[in-house]
Amino acid sequence: REIMSIKQTDLSKKLRQITLEAQGLIQARAFGSGKAAVLSALEQLAYIQIDTLSVVTRAHHHTLWTRIPDYQPQWLDQLVSERHIFEYWFHAASYLPMQDFRFALPKMLSIKNGESRYYQADTQVMRNVYDKIRIDGPQKSRAFESLSKNNGSWWNWKPTKIALEQLFMQGDLMISARSGMEKVYDLRERVLPNTVNTTPPTALEYAEYLVKKYLRAYGFTTMKQMTHLQAGSVLRKNIETILNQLLEDNIIQKLVTPEMQTIYVLTDLFEKTDATHHPKLSLLSPFDNSIIHRERVKTCFDFDFRLECYTPQHKRKYGYFCLPILFGDVFIGRVDCKAHRKSGQFELIHLHVENRQIDMALWLTPFLNTLHRFVHFNQCQSIHVTQISPPELSGTIREFIEMRKMI
């Protein structure tokens, strides 16, 4: 069904509610609790991006903590060891549900066949690396680094590292565990459960996976989003075939407006009556699934978010590592912060309050409650506020924090 007449403001609000519900950011325990909630969230969201930055708790843990109040970081490691999830490349390094393994095969095979040459590793070095893991068992990369330092050794660290990454990317090796952020590599057949389907998907099956993945994770999607980093006219044609079938079955609806590109939305979410929820406040990771597509966030939420840690300092507008602050379905601002774990102090380097239309009395207490939880999750005990913008709000917010004995 194609819907033509809908006001831009009404559509934007509806889409905000749809995508936040799909992302598990409306209800307090959308995915339940405990380790089972982590797997449920991952299967719903399709992936969780892994990031090495530790200004605050790492992105993969932060993203799950936002949705699972009792989240514990060890649960991710346990799910890997139990073979419920695996690591591979999505748009970046990510955790993925093991049930989706076969849909990583096209990328693996394209790299193995030389169609996508990411690393161009030396063939003999790859054989040596693979044989060492086959004979000696799972290995951390540091094992090969140590070998390269031995006098007279044929091992050379840089080619070995490249070989490890290529063997991983082409699916011959998998990550069997992590020690902190250090990967442990093992042979695919020793990691992958024998119950997992390893039949490469057809082109049409892969298109169906992409369509349903984005619809499930966001409630709505666009052709541009589904084909992001996915090249080829064949894929686009197959996606159109899947979309037409879903339209015919009334599983999705097609929204056409002059102001936005064509949108495909799940019918049950679009027709669902909006339930009344007490506005939830979320302090999001810059790599959170809900905001990783910057154009989507700008279009639906009128929030222009860019991560500035890769921007030269003199060109930064908000700060090195800002966390967007979501209240209900509105981004009220962002905060540049840093966890000083040795001293136990969590620093609000710069809190930017950007939406003045929402009464601060409504969001300030939820913000501090969420912040308090996040501080402890970052293994800190106190908060230090360095700067607040606009300046006229600084006194009120500082006084409120002091009153709550959080500085």
Side-chain angles (χ1 to χ4, degrees):
R1 190 160 40 144
E2 188 170 295
I3 300 176
M4 302 290 294
S5 58
I6 184 167
K7 292 181 180 179
Q8 178 68 53
T9 53
D10 294 340
L11 177 59
S12 293
K13 183 170 182 58
K14 185 70 177 178
L15 293 178
R16 288 199 300 271
Q17 292 296 316
I18 286 172
T19 201
L20 291 175
E21 180 169 345
Q23 282 284 306
L25 290 173
I26 289 183
Q27 295 176 305
R29 294 181 181 271
F31 301 109
S33 59
K35 185 170 65 175
V38 177
L39 183 57
S40 178
L42 193 54
E43 289 174 346
Q44 172 75 12
L45 301 176
Y47 75 97
I48 296 291
Q49 183 171 335
I50 301 170
D51 195 73
T52 57
L53 293 173
S54 59
V55 180
V56 297
T57 191
R58 299 185 196 278
H60 41 289
H61 296 311
H62 186 170
T63 298
L64 289 164
W65 172 86
T66 300
R67 294 160 173 81
I68 304 168
D70 63 340
Y71 174 73
Q72 299 294 321
Q74 65 266 25
W75 290 341
L76 263 181
D77 293 331
Q78 290 170 9
L79 288 169
V80 171
S81 67
E82 294 164 4
R83 309 308 188 229
H84 292 306
I85 65 178
F86 73 104
E87 287 191 35
Y88 195 61
W89 200 261
F90 195 66
H91 68 273
S94 302
Y95 289 107
L96 303 157
M98 190 64 79
Q99 66 184 24
D100 290 345
F101 178 82
R102 68 186 294 242
F103 297 103
L105 288 171
K107 179 183 281 291
M108 293 177 180
L109 292 172
S110 72
I111 294 171
K112 192 163 189 172
N113 295 335
E115 298 163 15
S116 301
R117 296 183 65 83
Y118 279 82
Y119 299 103
Q120 299 184 11
D122 180 270
T123 303
Q124 184 59 51
V125 175
M126 288 173 63
R127 287 198 199 99
N128 294 334
V129 167
Y130 185 87
D131 285 345
K132 177 172 176 57
I133 294 174
R134 178 177 58 81
I135 296 168
D136 296 342
Q139 299 288 323
K140 299 176 182 178
S141 61
R142 70 169 65 178
F144 298 96
E145 185 177 12
S146 298
L147 285 170
S148 72
K149 295 176 181 177
N150 294 335
N151 291 331
S153 171
W154 60 264
W155 296 95
N156 184 288
W157 173 230
K158 187 174 180 181
T160 301
K161 177 64 174 174
I162 293 171
L164 270 174
E165 288 302 309
Q166 179 151 342
L167 286 166
F168 167 69
M169 287 299 293
Q170 67 185 34
D172 292 322
L173 299 180
M174 292 183 70
I175 307 302
S176 62
R178 276 186 183 254
S179 177
M181 285 300 291
E182 189 176 13
K183 302 172 186 175
V184 179
Y185 297 87
D186 201 357
L187 305 188
R188 170 172 146 180
E189 56 264 33
R190 296 201 293 234
V191 176
L192 194 66
N194 56 19
T195 54
V196 171
N197 186 351
T198 56
T199 305
T202 65
L204 192 61
E205 284 177 326
Y206 184 72
E208 183 179 18
Y209 161 73
L210 286 179
V211 171
K212 292 185 175 179
K213 176 190 66 176
Y214 279 106
L215 286 170
R216 182 176 67 249
Y218 295 100
F220 72 92
T221 190
T222 64
M223 180 63 75
K224 183 177 181 180
Q225 183 173 1
M226 288 183 287
T227 56
H228 179 61
L229 301 179
Q230 304 277 347
S233 58
V234 173
L235 176 63
R236 187 181 183 93
K237 182 179 179 181
N238 284 329
I239 287 177
E240 289 173 350
T241 299
I242 299 299
L243 289 172
N244 288 333
Q245 183 61 57
L246 294 175
L247 285 166
E248 185 177 330
D249 295 339
N250 199 34
I251 294 173
I252 63 173
Q253 297 182 20
K254 183 178 180 180
L255 308 181
V256 182
T257 69
E259 298 86 356
M260 301 176 68
Q261 56 188 309
T262 300
I263 293 171
Y264 301 93
V265 58
L266 287 171
T267 300
D268 59 345
L269 289 181
F270 189 75
E271 295 183 346
K272 183 178 179 180
T273 303
D274 293 338
T276 302
H277 294 283
H278 186 72
K280 179 185 174 185
L281 190 137
S282 297
L283 197 59
L284 300 176
S285 165
F287 301 100
D288 192 282
N289 297 53
S290 64
I291 60 169
I292 203 66
H293 299 282
R294 311 305 192 199
E295 183 179 335
R296 167 192 283 268
V297 175
K298 176 63 177 174
T299 301
C300 290
F301 294 89
D302 193 26
F303 185 66
D304 190 8
F305 180 71
R306 295 289 184 276
L307 180 59
E308 297 182 336
C309 63
Y310 306 113
T311 303
Q313 185 172 0
H314 68 280
K315 293 184 178 181
R316 291 176 195 151
K317 182 177 179 182
Y318 295 104
Y320 181 83
F321 203 76
C322 274
L323 311 183
I325 306 168
L326 178 68
F327 182 60
D329 64 352
V330 177
F331 284 96
I332 59 172
R334 66 197 88 194
V335 56
D336 185 29
C337 48
K338 179 176 177 62
H340 300 278
R341 296 177 182 87
K342 287 186 178 180
S343 65
Q345 186 179 83
F346 193 91
E347 182 183 6
L348 302 188
I349 299 170
H350 198 159
L351 170 61
H352 304 266
V353 180
E354 298 169 61
N355 189 305
R356 302 288 294 276
Q357 296 178 335
I358 298 179
D359 189 345
M360 190 166 66
L362 296 175
W363 62 260
L364 189 53
T365 295
F367 170 69
L368 292 180
N369 289 341
T370 302
L371 180 62
H372 184 70
R373 288 181 51 242
F374 194 59
V375 167
H376 287 286
F377 188 63
N378 278 270
Q379 302 177 326
C380 293
Q381 294 77 46
S382 63
I383 292 177
H384 174 74
V385 181
T386 301
Q387 185 176 356
I388 297 173
S389 292
E392 59 267 27
L393 298 182
S394 181
T396 302
I397 295 176
R398 288 176 183 274
E399 182 179 350
F400 194 81
I401 294 176
E402 289 177 2
M403 185 174 62
R404 294 285 302 273
K405 297 180 180 180
M406 291 182 64
I407 291 185

